[in-house]
Amino acid sequence: MSEVLIVGSVAYDGLKTPYGSTPRTLGGAATYSSLASSLYAKTHIVGVVGEDFHKKDLALLKAKKIGLDGLARAKGKTFFWKGFYKKEDMNIAYTLKTDLNVFATFDPKIPEKDRKIPFLFLANIHPALQYRVTQQMKRPKFILLDTMNLWINIARKELLKVMGKVDLMVLNDQEVKLLTGEAHLKQAARAILKMGPKRVIVKKGEHGAMLIGPEGTFLAPAMPLDRVVDPTGAGDTFAGGFIGYLARQGKVTLDSLKRSIVVGSLTASFTVQELGVKGVAGLSLAKVRARAKEFYRFASLPPVKL
């Protein structure tokens, strides 16, 4: 089994959804994705927290056997985000407050022993920092890249530079259109491939995900759920589950990528059913296997005669 390195934010979130709220709970892209990845592969994170980072949250990461040599503690407070969701459209997060705190001066330093880890996930941080991470690594087998609208708008040059270093980029449908200026998803995804990544995954929320690469297009439906409690971290959980399971397989092929997309989607389906990281933190392989059986019953198609 190969190992995974994740570089990104460890944070606290203040959340309010139609189904619950909390003034302060563990969050951050590296947190969600590492909890997901650790289900399938040995996972290490590089990030920064403040003096206020709670012992119980550190204990949770340690309990999942997540490597924390790259998690720095700096003077000041941990990155904090506060937001809410409306019942009529749970896909939109409304931001009330963002305090970067110690994350404002985050400069990822990869521990020497982690630089040979073969599977790397560059979670959502400034693309200039993501690029600096790639320069510290020693020939990783696979690099997964995430980004967001903010970086597309204000750091496009730096984003394009790091895109040239990665194997796969993951974006949601709005981001892929914004980055390329294309109105149609498939055309936009093909335009992404011309910018550097060998393949791209377009996340479509409750409608699943689409993989586009030199072999063609693969569509994976999402697991139908009765209720979504909190969408926060769903995309990060998807990416963590994806790269963790890809590392578990130990090879990068079209089939292994397809399977990893399904596993990423299944893992994320647990995250959205609880507030904060509770859903993914309480997850086990047995629960994922049980849901996978449900998923394949739902996704299977009878033969069609024409």
Side-chain angles (χ1 to χ4, degrees), residues 11-28 31-32 35 56-57 60 81-86 90 225 227-234 237 267-283:
Y12 284 116
D13 294 338
L15 300 170
K16 184 176 181 180
T17 87
Y19 305 101
S21 64
T22 175
R24 184 178 174 89
T25 188
L26 184 61
T31 306
Y32 278 98
L35 288 170
K56 68 178 176 60
D57 296 319
L60 170 63
W81 174 82
K82 183 178 181 179
F84 68 95
Y85 299 86
K86 295 180 180 179
M90 294 280 281
L225 300 172
R227 188 176 73 164
V228 171
V229 172
D230 177 17
T232 310
T237 305
T267 309
S269 74
F270 288 92
T271 294
V272 302
Q273 291 185 304
E274 301 277 0
L275 201 65
V277 300
K278 186 178 179 181
V280 67
L283 199 48

Coordinates of all heavy atoms in Angstrom, one line a residue, residues 11-28 31-32 35 56-57 60 81-86 90 225 227-234 237 267-283:
A11 N -8.4 23.9 10.2 CA -9.1 25.1 10.6 C -10.2 24.8 11.6 O -10.4 23.6 12.0 CB -9.8 25.7 9.4
Y12 N -10.9 25.9 12.1 CA -12.1 25.7 12.8 C -13.2 26.4 12.0 O -13.0 27.5 11.4 CB -12.0 26.4 14.2 CG -11.2 25.5 15.2 CD1 -10.0 25.9 15.7 CD2 -11.7 24.2 15.5 CE1 -9.3 25.1 16.6 CE2 -11.0 23.4 16.4 CZ -9.8 23.9 16.9 OH -9.1 23.0 17.8
D13 N -14.4 25.8 12.1 CA -15.5 26.4 11.3 C -16.7 26.7 12.3 O -16.9 25.9 13.3 CB -16.1 25.4 10.3 CG -15.1 25.1 9.2 OD1 -14.2 25.9 9.0 OD2 -15.2 24.0 8.6
G14 N -17.4 27.8 12.0 CA -18.6 28.1 12.7 C -19.7 27.8 11.6 O -19.7 28.5 10.6
L15 N -20.6 26.9 11.9 CA -21.5 26.4 10.9 C -23.0 26.6 11.3 O -23.3 26.4 12.5 CB -21.3 24.9 10.6 CG -19.9 24.5 10.1 CD1 -19.8 23.0 10.1 CD2 -19.7 25.1 8.7
K16 N -23.8 26.9 10.3 CA -25.3 26.9 10.5 C -25.9 26.4 9.3 O -25.7 27.0 8.2 CB -25.8 28.3 10.9 CG -27.3 28.3 11.2 CD -27.8 29.7 11.6 CE -29.3 29.6 12.0 NZ -29.8 31.0 12.4
T17 N -26.7 25.3 9.4 CA -27.4 24.8 8.3 C -28.9 24.7 8.7 O -29.2 24.8 9.9 CB -26.9 23.4 7.9 OG1 -27.5 22.4 8.6 CG2 -25.4 23.3 8.0
P18 N -29.8 24.4 7.8 CA -31.2 24.2 8.2 C -31.4 23.0 9.2 O -32.5 22.9 9.8 CB -31.9 23.9 6.9 CG -31.1 24.5 5.9 CD -29.7 24.3 6.4
Y19 N -30.4 22.2 9.4 CA -30.5 21.0 10.2 C -29.6 20.9 11.4 O -29.5 19.9 12.1 CB -30.2 19.7 9.3 CG -31.1 19.7 8.1 CD1 -30.6 20.1 6.9 CD2 -32.5 19.3 8.2 CE1 -31.5 20.1 5.7 CE2 -33.3 19.3 7.1 CZ -32.8 19.7 5.9 OH -33.6 19.7 4.8
G20 N -28.9 22.1 11.7 CA -28.0 22.1 12.9 C -27.1 23.2 12.8 O -26.9 23.9 11.8
S21 N -26.4 23.5 13.9 CA -25.4 24.6 14.0 C -24.4 24.3 15.0 O -24.6 23.5 16.0 CB -26.1 25.9 14.2 OG -26.7 25.9 15.5
T22 N -23.2 24.9 14.9 CA -22.2 24.8 15.9 C -21.3 26.1 15.8 O -21.0 26.5 14.7 CB -21.3 23.6 15.7 OG1 -20.2 23.6 16.7 CG2 -20.7 23.5 14.3
P23 N -21.0 26.7 16.9 CA -20.2 27.9 16.8 C -18.7 27.7 16.5 O -18.0 28.5 16.0 CB -20.3 28.5 18.3 CG -20.6 27.3 19.1 CD -21.4 26.4 18.3
R24 N -18.3 26.4 16.7 CA -16.8 26.1 16.5 C -16.6 24.6 16.4 O -16.9 23.9 17.4 CB -16.0 26.7 17.6 CG -14.5 26.6 17.4 CD -13.8 27.3 18.6 NE -12.4 27.1 18.7 CZ -11.5 27.9 18.1 NH1 -11.9 28.9 17.4 NH2 -10.2 27.7 18.2
T25 N -16.2 24.2 15.3 CA -15.9 22.7 15.1 C -14.7 22.6 14.2 O -14.4 23.4 13.4 CB -17.1 22.0 14.6 OG1 -16.9 20.6 14.6 CG2 -17.4 22.4 13.1
L26 N -14.1 21.4 14.3 CA -12.9 21.2 13.5 C -13.2 21.2 12.0 O -14.3 20.7 11.6 CB -12.3 19.8 13.9 CG -11.0 19.3 13.2 CD1 -9.9 20.3 13.5 CD2 -10.7 17.9 13.6
G27 N -12.4 21.8 11.2 CA -12.6 21.9 9.7 C -11.3 22.0 9.0 O -10.2 21.7 9.5
G28 N -11.4 22.5 7.8 CA -10.2 22.7 6.9 C -10.1 21.6 5.9 O -10.4 20.4 6.1
T31 N -7.9 18.7 6.8 CA -8.6 17.8 7.8 C -9.6 16.9 7.2 O -9.5 15.6 7.4 CB -9.3 18.7 8.9 OG1 -8.4 19.7 9.4 CG2 -9.9 17.9 10.0
Y32 N -10.5 17.4 6.5 CA -11.5 16.5 5.8 C -10.9 15.5 4.9 O -11.2 14.3 5.0 CB -12.5 17.4 5.0 CG -13.6 18.0 5.8 CD1 -13.5 19.3 6.2 CD2 -14.8 17.3 6.1 CE1 -14.6 19.9 6.9 CE2 -15.8 17.9 6.8 CZ -15.7 19.2 7.2 OH -16.7 19.8 7.9
L35 N -8.8 12.7 6.9 CA -9.7 11.8 7.5 C -10.2 10.8 6.5 O -10.3 9.6 6.8 CB -10.8 12.5 8.3 CG -10.4 13.3 9.5 CD1 -11.6 14.2 10.0 CD2 -10.0 12.4 10.6
K56 N -8.1 17.6 21.9 CA -9.0 16.5 21.5 C -9.0 16.4 19.9 O -9.2 15.3 19.4 CB -10.4 16.7 22.0 CG -11.2 17.9 21.4 CD -12.6 18.0 22.0 CE -13.3 19.3 21.5 NZ -13.4 19.4 20.0
D57 N -8.8 17.5 19.3 CA -8.7 17.5 17.8 C -7.4 16.9 17.3 O -7.4 16.2 16.3 CB -8.9 18.9 17.3 CG -10.3 19.5 17.6 OD1 -11.3 18.7 17.5 OD2 -10.4 20.7 18.0
L60 N -7.8 13.2 17.7 CA -8.6 12.6 16.7 C -7.7 12.3 15.5 O -7.8 11.1 14.9 CB -9.7 13.5 16.2 CG -10.5 13.1 14.9 CD1 -11.2 11.8 15.1 CD2 -11.4 14.2 14.5
W81 N -13.3 30.0 9.8 CA -14.3 30.3 8.8 C -15.7 30.2 9.4 O -16.0 29.2 10.1 CB -14.2 29.5 7.6 CG -15.3 29.7 6.6 CD1 -15.3 30.7 5.7 CD2 -16.5 28.9 6.4 NE1 -16.5 30.6 4.9 CE2 -17.2 29.5 5.3 CE3 -17.0 27.8 7.0 CZ2 -18.4 29.0 4.9 CZ3 -18.2 27.3 6.6 CH2 -18.9 27.9 5.5
K82 N -16.6 31.1 9.2 CA -18.0 31.1 9.7 C -18.9 31.3 8.5 O -18.7 32.2 7.7 CB -18.2 32.1 10.7 CG -19.6 32.1 11.3 CD -19.8 33.1 12.4 CE -21.1 33.1 13.1 NZ -21.3 34.1 14.1
G83 N -19.9 30.4 8.4 CA -20.8 30.5 7.2 C -22.1 29.8 7.5 O -22.3 29.1 8.5
F84 N -23.0 29.9 6.5 CA -24.3 29.2 6.7 C -24.8 28.8 5.3 O -24.3 29.2 4.3 CB -25.3 30.2 7.4 CG -25.8 31.4 6.5 CD1 -26.9 31.3 5.7 CD2 -25.0 32.5 6.5 CE1 -27.3 32.4 5.0 CE2 -25.4 33.6 5.8 CZ -26.5 33.6 5.0
Y85 N -25.8 27.9 5.3 CA -26.5 27.4 4.1 C -28.0 27.6 4.3 O -28.6 27.6 5.4 CB -26.2 25.9 4.0 CG -24.8 25.5 3.8 CD1 -24.0 25.3 5.0 CD2 -24.2 25.4 2.6 CE1 -22.6 25.0 4.8 CE2 -22.8 25.1 2.5 CZ -22.1 24.9 3.6 OH -20.7 24.6 3.5
K86 N -28.6 27.8 3.1 CA -30.1 27.9 3.1 C -30.7 26.6 2.5 O -30.1 26.0 1.7 CB -30.5 29.1 2.1 CG -30.0 30.5 2.6 CD -30.5 31.6 1.7 CE -30.0 32.9 2.2 NZ -30.4 34.0 1.2
M90 N -28.6 24.0 -0.9 CA -27.5 23.6 0.0 C -26.2 23.6 -0.7 O -25.2 23.2 0.0 CB -27.9 22.3 0.7 CG -29.1 22.3 1.6 SD -28.7 23.0 3.2 CE -27.9 21.6 4.0
L225 N -29.3 10.4 -1.5 CA -29.5 10.6 0.0 C -30.8 11.2 0.3 O -31.3 12.1 -0.5 CB -28.4 11.5 0.6 CG -26.9 11.0 0.4 CD1 -25.9 12.0 0.8 CD2 -26.7 9.6 1.1
R227 N -31.4 13.1 2.9 CA -31.2 14.5 3.4 C -29.8 14.8 3.5 O -28.9 14.0 3.8 CB -31.9 14.5 4.8 CG -31.9 15.9 5.4 CD -32.6 16.0 6.7 NE -31.8 15.4 7.8 CZ -32.1 15.5 9.1 NH1 -33.1 16.3 9.5 NH2 -31.3 15.0 10.0
V228 N -29.4 16.1 3.2 CA -28.1 16.6 3.4 C -28.1 17.5 4.6 O -28.8 18.5 4.6 CB -27.6 17.3 2.1 CG1 -26.3 18.0 2.4 CG2 -27.5 16.3 0.9
V229 N -27.3 17.2 5.6 CA -27.2 18.0 6.8 C -26.3 19.2 6.7 O -26.6 20.3 7.0 CB -26.9 17.1 8.0 CG1 -26.6 18.0 9.3 CG2 -28.0 16.1 8.3
D230 N -25.1 18.9 6.1 CA -24.0 19.9 6.0 C -23.1 19.6 4.9 O -22.3 18.6 4.9 CB -23.2 19.9 7.3 CG -22.1 20.9 7.3 OD1 -22.0 21.8 6.5 OD2 -21.2 20.8 8.2
P231 N -23.1 20.4 3.8 CA -22.2 20.1 2.7 C -20.7 20.5 2.9 O -19.9 20.2 2.0 CB -22.8 21.0 1.5 CG -24.0 21.6 2.1 CD -23.9 21.5 3.6
T232 N -20.4 21.2 4.0 CA -19.0 21.6 4.2 C -18.1 20.5 4.2 O -18.3 19.4 4.8 CB -18.9 22.3 5.6 OG1 -20.0 23.3 5.8 CG2 -17.6 23.0 5.8
G233 N -17.0 20.6 3.4 CA -16.0 19.6 3.3 C -16.3 18.4 2.4 O -15.4 17.5 2.3
A234 N -17.4 18.4 1.8 CA -17.8 17.3 0.9 C -16.8 17.1 -0.2 O -16.3 16.0 -0.5 CB -19.2 17.5 0.3
T237 N -13.5 15.8 1.2 CA -13.7 14.4 1.5 C -13.6 13.5 0.2 O -13.0 12.5 0.2 CB -15.0 14.1 2.2 OG1 -15.1 15.0 3.4 CG2 -15.1 12.7 2.7
T267 N -17.5 8.0 0.1 CA -16.9 8.6 1.3 C -17.6 9.9 1.6 O -18.0 10.2 2.7 CB -15.4 8.7 1.2 OG1 -14.9 7.4 0.8 CG2 -14.8 9.0 2.6
A268 N -17.7 10.8 0.6 CA -18.2 12.1 0.8 C -19.7 12.0 1.2 O -20.2 12.9 1.8 CB -18.1 12.9 -0.5
S269 N -20.4 11.0 0.7 CA -21.8 10.8 1.1 C -22.1 10.7 2.6 O -23.1 11.1 3.1 CB -22.4 9.6 0.3 OG -22.0 8.4 0.9
F270 N -21.1 10.2 3.3 CA -21.2 10.2 4.8 C -21.0 11.5 5.4 O -21.6 11.9 6.4 CB -20.2 9.2 5.3 CG -20.6 7.7 5.1 CD1 -20.1 7.1 3.9 CD2 -21.4 7.0 5.9 CE1 -20.4 5.8 3.7 CE2 -21.8 5.7 5.6 CZ -21.3 5.1 4.5
T271 N -20.0 12.3 4.8 CA -19.7 13.6 5.4 C -20.9 14.5 5.4 O -21.2 15.2 6.4 CB -18.6 14.3 4.5 OG1 -17.4 13.5 4.7 CG2 -18.3 15.7 5.0
V272 N -21.7 14.6 4.3 CA -22.8 15.5 4.2 C -24.0 15.1 5.1 O -24.9 15.9 5.3 CB -23.3 15.7 2.8 CG1 -22.1 16.1 1.9 CG2 -23.9 14.4 2.2
Q273 N -23.9 14.0 5.7 CA -25.0 13.5 6.6 C -24.9 13.9 8.0 O -25.8 13.6 8.9 CB -25.2 12.0 6.4 CG -25.8 11.6 5.1 CD -26.1 10.1 5.0 OE1 -25.2 9.3 5.2 NE2 -27.3 9.8 4.7
E274 N -23.7 14.5 8.4 CA -23.5 15.0 9.8 C -22.9 16.4 9.7 O -22.5 16.9 8.7 CB -22.5 14.0 10.4 CG -22.9 12.6 10.5 CD -23.8 12.3 11.7 OE1 -24.1 13.2 12.5 OE2 -24.2 11.1 11.8
L275 N -22.9 17.0 10.9 CA -22.4 18.4 11.0 C -20.9 18.3 11.1 O -20.4 17.6 12.0 CB -23.1 19.1 12.1 CG -23.1 20.6 12.2 CD1 -23.9 21.2 11.0 CD2 -23.6 21.2 13.5
G276 N -20.2 19.2 10.3 CA -18.7 19.2 10.5 C -18.1 17.9 10.0 O -18.6 17.2 9.1
V277 N -17.0 17.5 10.7 CA -16.2 16.3 10.3 C -16.8 15.0 11.0 O -16.2 14.0 10.8 CB -14.7 16.5 10.7 CG1 -14.1 17.6 10.0 CG2 -14.6 16.5 12.2
K278 N -17.9 15.2 11.7 CA -18.4 14.0 12.5 C -18.6 12.8 11.6 O -18.3 11.7 11.9 CB -19.7 14.4 13.2 CG -20.2 13.4 14.1 CD -21.4 13.8 14.9 CE -22.0 12.8 15.8 NZ -23.2 13.2 16.5
G279 N -19.2 13.0 10.4 CA -19.6 11.9 9.5 C -18.3 11.2 9.0 O -18.3 9.9 9.1
V280 N -17.3 11.9 8.6 CA -16.1 11.2 8.1 C -15.2 10.7 9.2 O -14.6 9.6 9.1 CB -15.3 12.1 7.1 CG1 -14.7 13.3 7.8 CG2 -14.3 11.3 6.3
A281 N -15.2 11.4 10.3 CA -14.4 11.0 11.5 C -14.9 9.7 12.0 O -14.1 8.9 12.6 CB -14.4 12.0 12.5
G282 N -16.2 9.4 12.0 CA -16.8 8.2 12.5 C -16.9 7.1 11.5 O -17.6 6.0 11.8
L283 N -16.3 7.3 10.4 CA -16.5 6.3 9.3 C -15.6 5.1 9.4 O -14.5 5.2 9.9 CB -16.2 7.0 7.9 CG -16.8 6.4 6.6 CD1 -18.2 6.0 6.8 CD2 -16.6 7.4 5.5

